[in-house]
Amino acid sequence: MFGFSKQTKVKSPPPPVGGTRRRHPRVDALGRVFASLGGGQEGSVINISLCGLLLRVKRGLTPGSSYFINLLILGQVAVVEALVVRLLTRNDDYMAGIEFVRLSNQDRETIHSFIGPV
């Protein structure tokens, strides 16, 4: 996917029997959801679900590191505490798999309103 050559990831639990590891469906968000991680680090959200997102960034993130991420969704800001679970690299681009660790009910509703019924 995306032609990325190197992958670094945090050890995650095995997928459920007979299914995928994803607990919630992902929705394409490219150009519609934006992320800020602080320190000038911003990214484009490729896809998002109620439990995480795929983020394209210009600087690598360390798998296992945690961030408070500000998401701009439908004109509203949602703040999520998140963990980098994997990182794909290609030249100067990075794709980070992000898992939400903690978010408020209001922020969950903001994300849910973007995703729609699942």
Side-chain angles (χ1 to χ4, degrees), residues 18-113:
T20 176
R21 318 177 181 208
R22 292 187 178 91
R23 294 172 287 190
H24 301 283
R26 293 182 178 198
V27 172
D28 176 34
L30 190 57
R32 300 184 299 156
V33 178
F34 303 94
S36 172
L37 288 76
Q41 177 81 308
E42 295 181 345
S44 300
V45 177
I46 304 301
N47 60 48
I48 189 168
S49 74
L50 287 175
C51 63
L53 56 86
L54 181 61
L55 183 65
R56 175 175 275 157
V57 291
K58 288 293 181 185
R59 293 191 318 239
L61 304 175
T62 304
S65 61
S66 61
Y67 292 88
F68 283 96
I69 301 176
N70 295 309
L71 298 170
L72 180 59
I73 304 171
L74 302 172
Q76 298 180 20
V77 175
V79 179
V80 299
E81 185 178 348
L83 178 71
V84 178
V85 293
R86 73 180 39 85
L87 184 70
L88 303 168
T89 61
R90 180 187 69 185
N91 300 328
D92 293 332
D93 279 339
Y94 300 89
M95 300 288 280
I98 307 287
E99 179 181 346
F100 299 150
V101 176
R102 186 174 305 133
L103 64 158
S104 70
N105 288 337
Q106 181 178 355
D107 292 335
R108 181 179 305 280
E109 280 303 314
T110 299
I111 294 169
H112 188 265
S113 67

